[in-house]
Amino acid sequence: MARAHLKTDGWMDGVQRRPGIDALRGLAVLLMITQHVAYWFGVLRAKQVILVTGALGGLAAPIFITLSGVGVAFSIHRHAEHCDRLLILRGALLVGFGFLMNLLTPSWFSPLSWYVLHLIGTAMILSPLLRRASDPWVLVLIGLCLIATVSVQNLLDTPLRLFNEDMAAPQKPGGVLRFALAEGFFPLLPWLAFFMTGLLAGRWLLAARKDKIVRLALAMLGLLVLLAAVDYLKLDFARQAPWLRFFRVNTTFYPALTPITLFLMAVSLCFLLAFVALEQKIDRFANGALTALGRASLTILIVHVALFRESLPLLGLFHRLSPTATVLATLAVLLGFTLAALAWRKTGFKYGAEWVLRRLS
């Protein structure tokens, strides 16, 4: 890999950063902000705006989690002899940031909510074990993760649709462990599969074997088509427990059933391939705006959630704007964060959450 691509800022100090990967993370930031802000600003009857922004925003978390696996693969490559301590410490700090975000956003989360930072942090803590698995074994683990997801959801009798009140505060036996395993916003089952998919993709990028990423994405899409066809045909066995969750095509991933999981993993890999292939052009786009957003993604995640989710109800703006005003307000927020990231880049994103991670580890 060209040395020009090597940088040492971001969530993982010493990671071999590539502009395309940072830019893809930046795109996920824009999708995430769009989904959240449009929903929080817009009146609930603005269904068209909410549906579009929700569909786009639904790609953000799968991309973030997949890229965290890619980043870990790069870090392992660069610090093969000393990476375990770094991965565990960074993971623990990310889990800590997750619980901090819970406390900063009491109108959405409870202190024990399980959100995307908790998931990514825990996956990083498990990385010293995962990194020792060969590629075929990681593929087996991904498959077992999908099977375990259905098995555990069946065992817990997880509803086919979870809402915020179901995932915010632990109310059922098992508490936060139940959330972490299967019923939080982003539980280990099945979201650890996204992280492991990213870990494989990162290995293959380092080995210049993008063809393997293509084949994995196609295999996931092929399996998705097969499962969706069974669901479409309404075969009896596929409409009943314990098999229903393998075949039911839901558009939500709360909770994530097998078809939507396969779809989002494949789409994340496709975005990764596209952004890596075009990374030099993307890095020059808008003066590197996407890469700047990507390098500040952790800070932006925490700040935008705590700031807007808590302030809008106090200002009387929560679910109050018309569709047109919602679009304009969302664009203004996107522009504001983009300009802030570009300006902050000049200081190396000093004092942000990423900077704190580097300092503490």
Side-chain angles (χ1 to χ4, degrees):
M1 184 180 300
R3 295 291 296 181
H5 287 156
L6 303 187
K7 300 179 181 179
T8 59
D9 51 311
W11 295 29
M12 296 296 299
D13 191 18
V15 172
Q16 299 185 38
R17 304 188 71 92
R18 295 180 62 165
I21 293 174
D22 279 330
L24 179 54
R25 189 177 286 110
L27 174 65
V29 167
L30 294 180
L31 295 175
M32 169 185 68
I33 294 174
T34 298
Q35 179 190 44
H36 289 162
V37 173
Y39 179 74
W40 294 334
F41 268 117
V43 292
L44 293 180
R45 66 177 181 272
K47 292 184 178 179
Q48 291 181 336
V49 173
I50 292 174
L51 284 174
V52 172
T53 58
L56 293 174
L59 295 174
I63 291 173
F64 276 133
I65 298 167
T66 302
L67 290 182
S68 68
V70 174
V72 165
F74 283 10
S75 184
I76 292 168
H77 176 74
R78 187 171 175 85
H79 297 285
E81 297 180 0
H82 311 288
C83 66
D84 286 353
R85 177 185 177 277
L86 176 66
L87 292 171
I88 293 172
L89 184 54
R90 287 285 170 90
L93 289 171
L94 282 176
V95 173
F97 273 123
F99 285 113
L100 173 63
M101 192 165 73
N102 289 351
L103 297 176
L104 293 174
T105 322
S107 66
W108 190 8
F109 303 124
S110 76
L112 296 179
S113 293
W114 189 268
Y115 200 58
V116 68
L117 291 182
H118 307 81
L119 178 276
I120 294 175
T122 303
M124 289 175 62
I125 292 172
L126 296 174
S127 293
L129 297 176
L130 295 175
R131 80 179 186 92
R132 289 169 168 80
S134 64
D135 291 359
W137 271 111
V138 175
L139 288 170
V140 169
L141 289 173
I142 291 171
L144 291 176
C145 187
L146 299 184
I147 294 171
T149 298
V150 172
S151 301
V152 171
Q153 288 178 358
N154 284 335
L155 180 65
L156 297 176
D157 196 22
T158 302
L160 293 177
R161 181 70 183 272
L162 291 170
F163 297 92
N164 190 82
E165 56 268 25
D166 301 312
M167 299 180 288
Q171 298 177 354
K172 298 180 180 180
V176 69
L177 293 179
R178 185 179 183 129
F179 273 13
L181 184 62
E183 293 185 355
F185 289 93
F186 294 98
L188 290 170
L189 300 175
W191 293 94
L192 186 59
F194 287 80
F195 180 87
M196 292 189 288
T197 298
L199 181 65
L200 276 182
R203 290 179 180 178
W204 294 337
L205 286 176
L206 289 166
R209 291 300 307 270
K210 289 186 285 186
D211 59 301
K212 289 188 175 183
I213 302 177
V214 173
R215 290 202 294 270
L216 179 56
L218 290 176
M220 289 176 173
L221 289 174
L223 181 56
L224 165 62
V225 170
L226 178 62
L227 297 179
V230 172
D231 184 60
Y232 178 77
L233 292 173
K234 300 181 180 179
L235 300 180
D236 287 343
F237 79 94
R239 312 291 289 184
Q240 303 173 20
W243 308 107
L244 182 147
R245 297 175 193 270
F246 281 116
F247 301 99
R248 174 68 66 88
V249 177
N250 279 359
T251 56
T252 178
F253 50 65
Y254 297 130
L257 305 186
T258 306
I260 191 66
T261 300
L262 290 169
F263 173 75
L264 292 173
M265 285 196 294
V267 169
S268 298
L269 290 177
C270 290
F271 270 100
L272 175 64
L273 287 167
F275 272 67
V276 168
L278 300 172
E279 63 184 350
Q280 296 305 322
K281 293 181 180 179
I282 292 172
D283 194 38
R284 293 193 296 268
F285 174 71
N287 194 30
L290 285 179
T291 55
L293 287 166
R295 288 165 60 186
S297 57
L298 177 58
T299 304
I300 294 173
L301 168 61
I302 297 171
V303 168
H304 97 278
V305 168
L307 176 62
F308 288 100
R309 187 60 180 81
E310 292 303 306
S311 67
L312 292 180
L314 296 175
L315 296 173
L317 294 175
F318 193 67
H319 293 327
R320 290 296 182 88
L321 298 189
S322 67
T324 300
T326 297
V327 171
L328 293 175
T330 302
L331 291 174
V333 172
L334 292 174
L335 179 61
F337 274 105
T338 301
L339 293 176
L342 286 170
W344 198 15
R345 181 177 59 182
K346 298 176 182 177
T347 68
F349 303 97
K350 198 171 185 179
Y351 305 120
E354 292 84 356
W355 181 86
V356 172
L357 278 181
R358 294 195 302 272
R359 288 283 182 172
L360 293 180
S361 58

